């Protein structure tokens, strides 16, 4: 408990820093690589290359970002980063041969259905996160919208054993990763740090609410 308390105190002392960009970039890169495999890009079929990346970047880096967002009181950011960080760690562990998870299933049909249940849970969770972005901005809403569709397609692909649906899910995953990189870049590339700026397109309702709060 003392270690955890000291760790939280240290992270809180760095609360002036923003870890959102790190979390988004970690999510984007890990999603990009796995989605290329799912899309069977360049005839790569085995996803094990994602194991190290899912633990180190997609998992650990997002967990750190999630803890920092928790410390500064950002409920959405902490929920998203810790949850998807846990997703990448758990998915990477599934692929580790010594975990025995894949070997526990004696036939491919049972394994595909089990993975379908796993992905279905993440589809439902991502749907919740999507609805939580409806007053954010268009790019953030697009990010979670495409991610939700990606999980849904991969879930259907597992339940139906359809490689075509799985490939389409991979394509949507690549698009999701590119959007995540864009959102991260929009926060990194600012008028203070560059000569260009990337818009995130605030939604009309969100803009009206913001103006109302400012007037109050």
């Amino acid at each position: 408990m003392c270690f955890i308390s000291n760790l939280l105190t240290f992270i809180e002392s760095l609360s002036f820093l923003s870890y959102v960009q790190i979390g988004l970039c970690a999510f984007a890169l890990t999603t990009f690589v796995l989605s290329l495999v799912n899309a069977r890009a360049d005839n790569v079929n085995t996803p094990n290359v994602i194991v190290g990346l899912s633990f180190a970047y997609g998992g650990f880096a997002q967990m750190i970002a999630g803890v920092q967002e928790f410390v500064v009181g950002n409920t959405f950011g902490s929920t998203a980063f810790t949850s998807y960080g846990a997703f990448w760690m758990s998915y990477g562990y599934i692929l580790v041969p010594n975990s025995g998870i894949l070997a526990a299933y004696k036939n491919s049909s049972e394994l595909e259905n089990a993975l379908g249940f796993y992905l279905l849970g993440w589809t439902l969770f991502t749907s919740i996160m999507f609805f939580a972005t409806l007053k954010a901005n268009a790019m953030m809403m697009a990010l979670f919208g495409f991610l939700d569709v990606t999980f849904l397609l991969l879930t259907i692909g597992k339940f139906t054993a359809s490689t075509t649906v799985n490939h389409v899910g991979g394509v949507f995953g690549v698009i999701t990763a590119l959007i995540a990189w864009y959102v991260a870049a929009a926060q990194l590339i600012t008028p203070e740090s560059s000569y260009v700026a990337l818009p995130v397109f605030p939604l009309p309702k969100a803009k009206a609410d913001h103006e109302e709060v400012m007037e109050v």
Side-chain angles (χ1 to χ4, degrees), residues 152-175:
L152 179 60
L153 289 171
L154 295 177
T155 299
I156 295 173
K158 291 301 180 182
F159 282 135
T160 62
S162 172
T163 55
T164 300
V165 175
N166 199 64
H167 292 176
V168 176
V171 173
F172 270 81
V174 170
I175 297 173

Side-chain angles (χ1 to χ4, degrees), residues 20 62 65-67 69-70 74-83 129:
V20 173
Q62 279 200 91
V67 171
E69 290 299 291
F70 171 79
N74 185 344
T75 303
F76 180 86
S78 62
T79 302
F81 289 133
T82 54
S83 296
M129 299 302 290

Side-chain angles (χ1 to χ4, degrees), residues 36-55:
L36 287 176
V37 176
N38 286 334
R40 298 296 188 266
D42 207 19
N43 295 319
V44 177
N45 299 317
T46 306
N48 290 61
V49 68
I50 203 70
V51 172
L53 191 59
S54 65
F55 279 111

